[in-house]
Amino acid sequence: MRTYCASTLPFSPYPLSEFVGELSKGGITAIELAQTHYSDLEADKLTKLHENTGAKFKSLLSTVSVDAPDGLESLVSILDTAKKLAIPIVSIASGGKEDATVGEIEKIIDLLKTVTTEAEKRNLTLALYAHEGSLAYNLERTKQLLDAIPSDHFTFYYSPFHFHRAGDDPVVALQTLSERLSSVYFNCGVDSNTGSEPFWGPEMNFPAICKEIDRVGYNDEIMLIYLGLNVDTPQPIIEGVLNARKKLDSYF
């Protein structure tokens, strides 16, 4: 039986207490915290929320660009927060741009090596996700970064949508990078191109993607991030996450 994680990024306007319990009741067993929710969070409050809801707090999401003027310092600060909260994984973007020069790529690799060293000191794991607009926007670039930093503390966070968006076959991307795989997520919500839901990129071959997730032996929670709703309460987002979970289950 598959288990699922939810990102709090779509819930940014709302306190954790307004939605984590409902997600947990709906079968979501783990939570990835966005910066809005973890920046000022105290460890005792997180422990109490876990005790009250049963939810495991699995990871922190960083959208910081490591090559920004204060990017390195910001990422190290997020690592300190993860350590304080006893959360073992920090999900990170590569920074940079799709059209980065050789020199810019080398700079980012050096910066990511430094962040990886800092993560290792704190016994934390980094999970690199591909994303359009950044250096690691496709399979080739993501592989380049993973090959350049062969550390157990620098791993791969797989999202089929972003490889599909870059023109890569999501199944091939997973096959290629599976040895570094630590986390999986699916982009959900209202697809801006088609208006369909629950998944972005509905033209993707979801059964084939899920078959490959099984084949490579990934058994941890699959994270769902449900974006694109303009709502006044967290309830429609909660329902969206739970509907996406049910639909994804049907592909496995």
PDB file of all heavy atoms in Angstrom, residues 5 18 52 56 60 70 77 87 114 119 121 124-125 129 133 151 155 161 168 170 181 229 241 246 248:
ATOM      1  N   CYS A   5       2.631  11.971   1.238  1.00  0.00           N
ATOM      2  CA  CYS A   5       3.067  13.185   1.908  1.00  0.00           C
ATOM      3  C   CYS A   5       2.380  14.364   1.212  1.00  0.00           C
ATOM      4  O   CYS A   5       2.028  14.267   0.026  1.00  0.00           O
ATOM      5  CB  CYS A   5       4.587  13.289   1.780  1.00  0.00           C
ATOM      6  SG  CYS A   5       5.343  14.801   2.409  1.00  0.00           S
ATOM      7  N   GLU A  18      -4.696  24.321  11.058  1.00  0.00           N
ATOM      8  CA  GLU A  18      -5.955  24.373  10.317  1.00  0.00           C
ATOM      9  C   GLU A  18      -6.092  23.286   9.268  1.00  0.00           C
ATOM     10  O   GLU A  18      -7.195  23.088   8.742  1.00  0.00           O
ATOM     11  CB  GLU A  18      -6.135  25.749   9.662  1.00  0.00           C
ATOM     12  CG  GLU A  18      -6.466  26.853  10.642  1.00  0.00           C
ATOM     13  CD  GLU A  18      -6.913  28.129   9.946  1.00  0.00           C
ATOM     14  OE1 GLU A  18      -7.256  28.068   8.741  1.00  0.00           O
ATOM     15  OE2 GLU A  18      -6.904  29.184  10.606  1.00  0.00           O
ATOM     16  N   ASN A  52      -0.726  15.223  18.266  1.00  0.00           N
ATOM     17  CA  ASN A  52      -2.164  15.449  18.118  1.00  0.00           C
ATOM     18  C   ASN A  52      -2.727  14.897  16.810  1.00  0.00           C
ATOM     19  O   ASN A  52      -3.916  14.555  16.744  1.00  0.00           O
ATOM     20  CB  ASN A  52      -2.476  16.943  18.201  1.00  0.00           C
ATOM     21  CG  ASN A  52      -2.282  17.501  19.589  1.00  0.00           C
ATOM     22  OD1 ASN A  52      -2.252  16.758  20.572  1.00  0.00           O
ATOM     23  ND2 ASN A  52      -2.135  18.813  19.697  1.00  0.00           N
ATOM     24  N   LYS A  56       3.798  12.662  10.329  1.00  0.00           N
ATOM     25  CA  LYS A  56       5.265  12.735  10.385  1.00  0.00           C
ATOM     26  C   LYS A  56       5.717  13.935   9.562  1.00  0.00           C
ATOM     27  O   LYS A  56       5.247  14.145   8.444  1.00  0.00           O
ATOM     28  CB  LYS A  56       5.869  11.451   9.796  1.00  0.00           C
ATOM     29  CG  LYS A  56       7.387  11.466   9.704  1.00  0.00           C
ATOM     30  CD  LYS A  56       7.919  10.140   9.182  1.00  0.00           C
ATOM     31  CE  LYS A  56       7.708   9.975   7.703  1.00  0.00           C
ATOM     32  NZ  LYS A  56       8.355   8.755   7.180  1.00  0.00           N
ATOM     33  N   LEU A  60      11.808  19.700   4.687  1.00  0.00           N
ATOM     34  CA  LEU A  60      11.608  21.131   4.490  1.00  0.00           C
ATOM     35  C   LEU A  60      11.825  21.448   3.016  1.00  0.00           C
ATOM     36  O   LEU A  60      12.725  20.900   2.382  1.00  0.00           O
ATOM     37  CB  LEU A  60      12.604  21.947   5.315  1.00  0.00           C
ATOM     38  CG  LEU A  60      12.656  21.727   6.818  1.00  0.00           C
ATOM     39  CD1 LEU A  60      13.625  22.737   7.450  1.00  0.00           C
ATOM     40  CD2 LEU A  60      11.283  21.830   7.456  1.00  0.00           C
ATOM     41  N   ASP A  70      22.701  36.172  -1.164  1.00  0.00           N
ATOM     42  CA  ASP A  70      22.751  35.580   0.180  1.00  0.00           C
ATOM     43  C   ASP A  70      22.273  34.130   0.161  1.00  0.00           C
ATOM     44  O   ASP A  70      21.845  33.594   1.181  1.00  0.00           O
ATOM     45  CB  ASP A  70      21.896  36.392   1.156  1.00  0.00           C
ATOM     46  CG  ASP A  70      20.430  36.445   0.736  1.00  0.00           C
ATOM     47  OD1 ASP A  70      20.118  36.041  -0.420  1.00  0.00           O
ATOM     48  OD2 ASP A  70      19.583  36.876   1.548  1.00  0.00           O
ATOM     49  N   SER A  77      21.161  28.405   6.843  1.00  0.00           N
ATOM     50  CA  SER A  77      20.199  28.723   7.890  1.00  0.00           C
ATOM     51  C   SER A  77      19.037  27.735   7.874  1.00  0.00           C
ATOM     52  O   SER A  77      18.540  27.310   8.940  1.00  0.00           O
ATOM     53  CB  SER A  77      19.678  30.150   7.716  1.00  0.00           C
ATOM     54  OG  SER A  77      18.682  30.449   8.669  1.00  0.00           O
ATOM     55  N   ILE A  87      14.156  17.328  11.481  1.00  0.00           N
ATOM     56  CA  ILE A  87      13.614  16.927  10.178  1.00  0.00           C
ATOM     57  C   ILE A  87      14.801  16.572   9.281  1.00  0.00           C
ATOM     58  O   ILE A  87      15.692  17.396   9.065  1.00  0.00           O
ATOM     59  CB  ILE A  87      12.760  18.049   9.571  1.00  0.00           C
ATOM     60  CG1 ILE A  87      11.500  18.229  10.433  1.00  0.00           C
ATOM     61  CG2 ILE A  87      12.390  17.744   8.134  1.00  0.00           C
ATOM     62  CD1 ILE A  87      10.587  19.331   9.978  1.00  0.00           C
ATOM     63  N   THR A 114      29.465  22.894  -1.151  1.00  0.00           N
ATOM     64  CA  THR A 114      29.569  23.489   0.181  1.00  0.00           C
ATOM     65  C   THR A 114      28.314  23.203   1.000  1.00  0.00           C
ATOM     66  O   THR A 114      28.398  22.833   2.186  1.00  0.00           O
ATOM     67  CB  THR A 114      29.791  25.007   0.070  1.00  0.00           C
ATOM     68  OG1 THR A 114      31.008  25.260  -0.630  1.00  0.00           O
ATOM     69  CG2 THR A 114      29.858  25.653   1.450  1.00  0.00           C
ATOM     70  N   ALA A 119      25.351  19.997   5.113  1.00  0.00           N
ATOM     71  CA  ALA A 119      24.288  19.041   5.412  1.00  0.00           C
ATOM     72  C   ALA A 119      24.863  17.798   6.089  1.00  0.00           C
ATOM     73  O   ALA A 119      24.296  17.278   7.059  1.00  0.00           O
ATOM     74  CB  ALA A 119      23.554  18.654   4.130  1.00  0.00           C
ATOM     75  N   LYS A 121      27.548  17.601   7.911  1.00  0.00           N
ATOM     76  CA  LYS A 121      27.915  17.949   9.294  1.00  0.00           C
ATOM     77  C   LYS A 121      26.721  17.835  10.235  1.00  0.00           C
ATOM     78  O   LYS A 121      26.875  17.517  11.422  1.00  0.00           O
ATOM     79  CB  LYS A 121      28.452  19.381   9.352  1.00  0.00           C
ATOM     80  CG  LYS A 121      29.811  19.591   8.717  1.00  0.00           C
ATOM     81  CD  LYS A 121      30.181  21.072   8.791  1.00  0.00           C
ATOM     82  CE  LYS A 121      31.506  21.363   8.112  1.00  0.00           C
ATOM     83  NZ  LYS A 121      31.819  22.819   8.137  1.00  0.00           N
ATOM     84  N   LEU A 124      22.107  15.575   7.728  1.00  0.00           N
ATOM     85  CA  LEU A 124      20.910  15.845   6.939  1.00  0.00           C
ATOM     86  C   LEU A 124      21.123  15.392   5.499  1.00  0.00           C
ATOM     87  O   LEU A 124      22.266  15.275   5.041  1.00  0.00           O
ATOM     88  CB  LEU A 124      20.587  17.337   6.949  1.00  0.00           C
ATOM     89  CG  LEU A 124      20.317  17.978   8.310  1.00  0.00           C
ATOM     90  CD1 LEU A 124      20.210  19.494   8.150  1.00  0.00           C
ATOM     91  CD2 LEU A 124      19.055  17.412   8.936  1.00  0.00           C
ATOM     92  N   THR A 125      20.019  15.182   4.803  1.00  0.00           N
ATOM     93  CA  THR A 125      20.062  14.812   3.389  1.00  0.00           C
ATOM     94  C   THR A 125      19.464  15.923   2.545  1.00  0.00           C
ATOM     95  O   THR A 125      18.381  16.448   2.871  1.00  0.00           O
ATOM     96  CB  THR A 125      19.262  13.514   3.148  1.00  0.00           C
ATOM     97  OG1 THR A 125      19.876  12.451   3.873  1.00  0.00           O
ATOM     98  CG2 THR A 125      19.233  13.156   1.668  1.00  0.00           C
ATOM     99  N   TYR A 129      15.650  18.857  -6.677  1.00  0.00           N
ATOM    100  CA  TYR A 129      14.538  18.708  -7.613  1.00  0.00           C
ATOM    101  C   TYR A 129      14.787  19.529  -8.874  1.00  0.00           C
ATOM    102  O   TYR A 129      15.334  20.627  -8.824  1.00  0.00           O
ATOM    103  CB  TYR A 129      13.199  19.093  -6.972  1.00  0.00           C
ATOM    104  CG  TYR A 129      13.091  20.499  -6.435  1.00  0.00           C
ATOM    105  CD1 TYR A 129      12.719  21.569  -7.242  1.00  0.00           C
ATOM    106  CD2 TYR A 129      13.331  20.761  -5.084  1.00  0.00           C
ATOM    107  CE1 TYR A 129      12.594  22.859  -6.742  1.00  0.00           C
ATOM    108  CE2 TYR A 129      13.206  22.046  -4.564  1.00  0.00           C
ATOM    109  CZ  TYR A 129      12.836  23.082  -5.402  1.00  0.00           C
ATOM    110  OH  TYR A 129      12.719  24.361  -4.903  1.00  0.00           O
ATOM    111  N   GLY A 133      13.349  26.854 -15.627  1.00  0.00           N
ATOM    112  CA  GLY A 133      13.904  28.162 -15.306  1.00  0.00           C
ATOM    113  C   GLY A 133      15.189  28.107 -14.518  1.00  0.00           C
ATOM    114  O   GLY A 133      15.885  29.115 -14.408  1.00  0.00           O
ATOM    115  N   SER A 151      27.755  12.358  -3.346  1.00  0.00           N
ATOM    116  CA  SER A 151      27.644  12.218  -1.896  1.00  0.00           C
ATOM    117  C   SER A 151      26.319  11.571  -1.539  1.00  0.00           C
ATOM    118  O   SER A 151      25.282  11.863  -2.165  1.00  0.00           O
ATOM    119  CB  SER A 151      27.747  13.589  -1.221  1.00  0.00           C
ATOM    120  OG  SER A 151      27.358  13.522   0.134  1.00  0.00           O
ATOM    121  N   THR A 155      21.015  13.981  -2.935  1.00  0.00           N
ATOM    122  CA  THR A 155      20.196  12.962  -3.577  1.00  0.00           C
ATOM    123  C   THR A 155      19.216  13.591  -4.565  1.00  0.00           C
ATOM    124  O   THR A 155      19.205  14.804  -4.767  1.00  0.00           O
ATOM    125  CB  THR A 155      19.440  12.147  -2.511  1.00  0.00           C
ATOM    126  OG1 THR A 155      18.502  13.022  -1.838  1.00  0.00           O
ATOM    127  CG2 THR A 155      20.398  11.538  -1.496  1.00  0.00           C
ATOM    128  N   PHE A 161       6.538  15.555 -13.831  1.00  0.00           N
ATOM    129  CA  PHE A 161       6.034  16.700 -14.582  1.00  0.00           C
ATOM    130  C   PHE A 161       7.147  17.586 -15.097  1.00  0.00           C
ATOM    131  O   PHE A 161       7.121  18.039 -16.240  1.00  0.00           O
ATOM    132  CB  PHE A 161       5.069  17.527 -13.719  1.00  0.00           C
ATOM    133  CG  PHE A 161       4.649  18.807 -14.371  1.00  0.00           C
ATOM    134  CD1 PHE A 161       3.718  18.811 -15.396  1.00  0.00           C
ATOM    135  CD2 PHE A 161       5.196  20.026 -13.991  1.00  0.00           C
ATOM    136  CE1 PHE A 161       3.338  19.992 -16.019  1.00  0.00           C
ATOM    137  CE2 PHE A 161       4.822  21.211 -14.596  1.00  0.00           C
ATOM    138  CZ  PHE A 161       3.891  21.189 -15.618  1.00  0.00           C
ATOM    139  N   ASP A 168      11.829  15.805 -21.757  1.00  0.00           N
ATOM    140  CA  ASP A 168      12.397  14.485 -21.472  1.00  0.00           C
ATOM    141  C   ASP A 168      11.281  13.481 -21.201  1.00  0.00           C
ATOM    142  O   ASP A 168      10.184  13.855 -20.772  1.00  0.00           O
ATOM    143  CB  ASP A 168      13.310  14.546 -20.242  1.00  0.00           C
ATOM    144  CG  ASP A 168      14.557  15.380 -20.478  1.00  0.00           C
ATOM    145  OD1 ASP A 168      15.176  15.225 -21.545  1.00  0.00           O
ATOM    146  OD2 ASP A 168      14.904  16.188 -19.601  1.00  0.00           O
ATOM    147  N   PRO A 170       9.706  11.130 -18.759  1.00  0.00           N
ATOM    148  CA  PRO A 170       9.802  10.984 -17.307  1.00  0.00           C
ATOM    149  C   PRO A 170      10.235   9.588 -16.859  1.00  0.00           C
ATOM    150  O   PRO A 170      10.908   9.447 -15.835  1.00  0.00           O
ATOM    151  CB  PRO A 170       8.383  11.301 -16.823  1.00  0.00           C
ATOM    152  CG  PRO A 170       7.768  12.107 -17.905  1.00  0.00           C
ATOM    153  CD  PRO A 170       8.376  11.594 -19.173  1.00  0.00           C
ATOM    154  N   LEU A 181      17.932   8.261  -6.054  1.00  0.00           N
ATOM    155  CA  LEU A 181      16.574   8.644  -5.684  1.00  0.00           C
ATOM    156  C   LEU A 181      16.354   8.596  -4.175  1.00  0.00           C
ATOM    157  O   LEU A 181      16.677   7.601  -3.527  1.00  0.00           O
ATOM    158  CB  LEU A 181      15.582   7.696  -6.370  1.00  0.00           C
ATOM    159  CG  LEU A 181      14.092   7.929  -6.109  1.00  0.00           C
ATOM    160  CD1 LEU A 181      13.649   9.255  -6.720  1.00  0.00           C
ATOM    161  CD2 LEU A 181      13.267   6.772  -6.691  1.00  0.00           C
ATOM    162  N   LEU A 229      -5.362  26.657  -7.026  1.00  0.00           N
ATOM    163  CA  LEU A 229      -6.695  26.999  -6.539  1.00  0.00           C
ATOM    164  C   LEU A 229      -6.671  28.368  -5.864  1.00  0.00           C
ATOM    165  O   LEU A 229      -5.792  28.652  -5.048  1.00  0.00           O
ATOM    166  CB  LEU A 229      -7.184  25.952  -5.540  1.00  0.00           C
ATOM    167  CG  LEU A 229      -7.427  24.536  -6.070  1.00  0.00           C
ATOM    168  CD1 LEU A 229      -7.999  23.664  -4.951  1.00  0.00           C
ATOM    169  CD2 LEU A 229      -8.374  24.545  -7.257  1.00  0.00           C
ATOM    170  N   VAL A 241      -5.920  17.409  -2.537  1.00  0.00           N
ATOM    171  CA  VAL A 241      -4.841  16.482  -2.200  1.00  0.00           C
ATOM    172  C   VAL A 241      -5.378  15.064  -2.044  1.00  0.00           C
ATOM    173  O   VAL A 241      -4.803  14.096  -2.573  1.00  0.00           O
ATOM    174  CB  VAL A 241      -4.124  16.931  -0.906  1.00  0.00           C
ATOM    175  CG1 VAL A 241      -3.165  15.850  -0.421  1.00  0.00           C
ATOM    176  CG2 VAL A 241      -3.371  18.230  -1.135  1.00  0.00           C
ATOM    177  N   LYS A 246      -6.174   9.470  -4.192  1.00  0.00           N
ATOM    178  CA  LYS A 246      -7.025   8.362  -4.633  1.00  0.00           C
ATOM    179  C   LYS A 246      -6.762   8.036  -6.112  1.00  0.00           C
ATOM    180  O   LYS A 246      -6.680   6.867  -6.496  1.00  0.00           O
ATOM    181  CB  LYS A 246      -8.493   8.742  -4.430  1.00  0.00           C
ATOM    182  CG  LYS A 246      -9.476   7.633  -4.774  1.00  0.00           C
ATOM    183  CD  LYS A 246     -10.913   8.081  -4.579  1.00  0.00           C
ATOM    184  CE  LYS A 246     -11.193   8.428  -3.130  1.00  0.00           C
ATOM    185  NZ  LYS A 246     -12.655   8.755  -2.933  1.00  0.00           N
ATOM    186  N   LEU A 248      -4.000   8.678  -7.880  1.00  0.00           N
ATOM    187  CA  LEU A 248      -2.664   8.118  -8.065  1.00  0.00           C
ATOM    188  C   LEU A 248      -2.629   6.660  -7.622  1.00  0.00           C
ATOM    189  O   LEU A 248      -1.965   5.824  -8.247  1.00  0.00           O
ATOM    190  CB  LEU A 248      -1.630   8.948  -7.300  1.00  0.00           C
ATOM    191  CG  LEU A 248      -0.169   8.710  -7.658  1.00  0.00           C
ATOM    192  CD1 LEU A 248       0.094   8.947  -9.136  1.00  0.00           C
ATOM    193  CD2 LEU A 248       0.737   9.608  -6.825  1.00  0.00           C
TER     194      LEU A 248
END
